[in-house]
Structure formats: structure tokens, C-alpha cells
Amino acid sequence: ALIIIIHTYTQKLEECQLQIQCLHNECSASERNASQTQSKIDRTLEALKIAGANAANARAEADAANARVESLNGQLNDMQAVIEDTKDCME
């Protein structure tokens, strides 16, 4: 009877050790997944920072281009006024 009890406890101990090993493996896999996910988040955040900086630069360039267009429009209007004045003077 004592041998049966010892055998039963030995089996239960082996089952528990197997469950512990499975849980340990799952925990290790979860840690790896968490690490990979954190790396992806870090890369995404860096890409967003770069995209934000690029967008700000593009906005500044667009604003500068608009200012140049307005300046050239003003110069063109001035030149057209001079041409019209010259035509008026010649008539």
C-alpha cells in the first residue's frame, strides 16, 4: 500500500513538474513576444517622429513657395502696370 501511495505521489509530482515546465515555456514565449512588440512600438514611434519632422519641413517649404509666388505675382502686376503706363504715354 505504501508503494502505491509513493507511486501515486511520484506521478503527481511528475505531472506538476511537466506543468511547471509548460508554464515556464509559455512565460518565456510571452517575454519574447513582449520584447518584439516593444521593438516594433519603438520603431513605429521613431518613424512617426521622422514623419512629423518631414511634414513640418514640407509645410515650411510650401509656405516659402507660396510667399515666392505672391512676391512674383506682385512683381508681375507691377510690370504690367508699367507696360500699361508706357502704352498710355505712347498714345
Side-chain angles (χ1 to χ4, degrees), residues 17-53:
Q17 287 173 331
L18 182 60
Q19 288 177 343
I20 288 170
Q21 185 60 47
C22 287
L23 290 172
H24 177 72
N25 291 345
E26 288 178 19
C27 185
S28 295
S30 293
E31 287 175 353
R32 282 191 302 276
N33 287 339
S35 178
Q36 290 171 352
T37 299
Q38 186 60 51
S39 293
K40 289 177 184 177
I41 289 170
D42 291 343
R43 288 192 302 274
T44 301
L45 288 173
E46 186 62 28
L48 287 172
K49 287 178 188 175
I50 291 168

Side-chain angles (χ1 to χ4, degrees), residues 3-89:
I3 292 174
I4 293 172
I5 293 172
I6 292 172
H7 181 67
T8 301
Y9 281 119
T10 302
Q11 283 180 330
K12 289 188 184 233
L13 177 62
E14 288 173 357
E15 289 173 7
C16 288
Q17 287 173 331
L18 182 60
Q19 288 177 343
I20 288 170
Q21 185 60 47
C22 287
L23 290 172
H24 177 72
N25 291 345
E26 288 178 19
C27 185
S28 295
S30 293
E31 287 175 353
R32 282 191 302 276
N33 287 339
S35 178
Q36 290 171 352
T37 299
Q38 186 60 51
S39 293
K40 289 177 184 177
I41 289 170
D42 291 343
R43 288 192 302 274
T44 301
L45 288 173
E46 186 62 28
L48 287 172
K49 287 178 188 175
I50 291 168
N54 288 345
N57 289 338
R59 177 76 260 166
E61 289 176 12
D63 290 344
N66 282 336
R68 286 192 299 274
V69 166
E70 288 178 19
S71 173
L72 290 172
N73 257 349
Q75 290 175 8
L76 181 59
N77 288 338
D78 291 345
M79 291 171 76
Q80 285 176 335
V82 168
I83 290 170
E84 291 301 319
D85 289 346
T86 303
K87 281 184 184 178
D88 289 346
C89 289

